[in-house]
Amino acid sequence: MSDTAPAPESAAFRARVLALVARIPAGRVMTYGQLATLAGSPGAARQVGFIMNGLAQSELPWQRVINAQGAVSTDKLGFGDIQRGLLQHEGISFDASGRCDLKRLQWWPDEEEKGGQAGLF
């Protein structure tokens, strides 16, 4: 990453978020905060949510982005059932409280290179 983090509202930040979302494998998830951090703007989870809000009709796997509790945050937008259904179709299960197992399912981009979960790159 560069020495200066892109502003959360910048085109560079949006492009980095979208590039990360495109790489999330089926059956795995990332959180809004995780995406913000990896895209260079820690603390910009809400801005990531705004970006995700416009992706429901896109080819990107928007459904694989969930909140830090392991649950979908799209119920209040009217498509939580759709997001959960898409994730369940990929093999992700939710417990009675509506949460998935983040310890097992959260994906980190550097897993591709290192073959296991690791921290930030």
Side-chain angles (χ1 to χ4, degrees), residues 27 86-93 104-105:
L86 290 167
L87 290 170
Q88 287 170 331
H89 182 74
E90 294 181 7
I92 294 176
S93 59
R104 186 173 57 83
L105 298 171

Coordinates of all heavy atoms in Angstrom, one line a residue, residues 27 86-93 104-105:
G27 N -18.4 -19.6 -1.5 CA -18.4 -20.3 -0.2 C -17.6 -19.6 0.9 O -17.4 -20.1 2.0
L86 N -28.5 -16.7 -1.6 CA -27.3 -16.8 -2.5 C -26.2 -17.5 -1.7 O -25.5 -18.3 -2.2 CB -26.9 -15.5 -3.0 CG -27.9 -14.9 -4.1 CD1 -27.5 -13.4 -4.3 CD2 -27.9 -15.7 -5.4
L87 N -25.9 -17.0 -0.5 CA -24.8 -17.6 0.3 C -25.1 -19.0 0.7 O -24.2 -19.9 0.6 CB -24.6 -16.7 1.6 CG -24.0 -15.3 1.3 CD1 -24.1 -14.5 2.6 CD2 -22.6 -15.4 0.8
Q88 N -26.4 -19.4 1.0 CA -26.7 -20.7 1.4 C -26.5 -21.6 0.1 O -26.0 -22.8 0.3 CB -28.1 -20.8 1.9 CG -28.2 -20.3 3.3 CD -29.6 -20.1 3.8 OE1 -30.6 -19.9 3.0 NE2 -29.8 -20.2 5.1
H89 N -26.8 -21.1 -1.0 CA -26.6 -21.9 -2.3 C -25.1 -22.2 -2.5 O -24.8 -23.2 -3.1 CB -27.2 -21.1 -3.5 CG -27.0 -21.8 -4.8 ND1 -27.8 -22.8 -5.1 CD2 -26.2 -21.6 -5.8 CE1 -27.5 -23.3 -6.3 NE2 -26.5 -22.5 -6.8
E90 N -24.2 -21.3 -2.0 CA -22.8 -21.6 -2.0 C -22.3 -22.4 -0.9 O -21.1 -22.7 -0.8 CB -22.0 -20.2 -2.0 CG -22.3 -19.3 -3.2 CD -21.6 -18.0 -3.2 OE1 -20.7 -17.8 -2.3 OE2 -21.8 -17.2 -4.0
G91 N -23.2 -22.9 0.0 CA -22.8 -23.8 1.0 C -22.5 -23.1 2.4 O -22.1 -23.8 3.3
I92 N -22.8 -21.8 2.5 CA -22.7 -21.1 3.8 C -24.0 -21.3 4.6 O -25.0 -21.0 4.1 CB -22.4 -19.6 3.5 CG1 -21.0 -19.5 2.8 CG2 -22.4 -18.8 4.8 CD1 -20.6 -18.1 2.4
S93 N -23.8 -21.8 5.8 CA -25.0 -21.9 6.7 C -25.0 -20.9 7.8 O -23.9 -20.3 8.1 CB -25.0 -23.3 7.3 OG -23.8 -23.5 8.0
R104 N -14.2 -19.7 10.3 CA -14.0 -20.7 9.2 C -14.2 -20.2 7.8 O -13.5 -20.6 6.9 CB -15.0 -21.9 9.5 CG -14.8 -23.1 8.6 CD -15.7 -24.2 8.9 NE -17.2 -23.9 9.0 CZ -17.9 -23.9 7.9 NH1 -17.4 -24.2 6.7 NH2 -19.2 -23.6 8.0
L105 N -15.1 -19.2 7.7 CA -15.5 -18.8 6.3 C -14.9 -17.5 5.8 O -14.9 -17.2 4.7 CB -17.0 -18.7 6.2 CG -17.8 -20.0 6.5 CD1 -19.2 -19.7 6.6 CD2 -17.5 -21.0 5.4

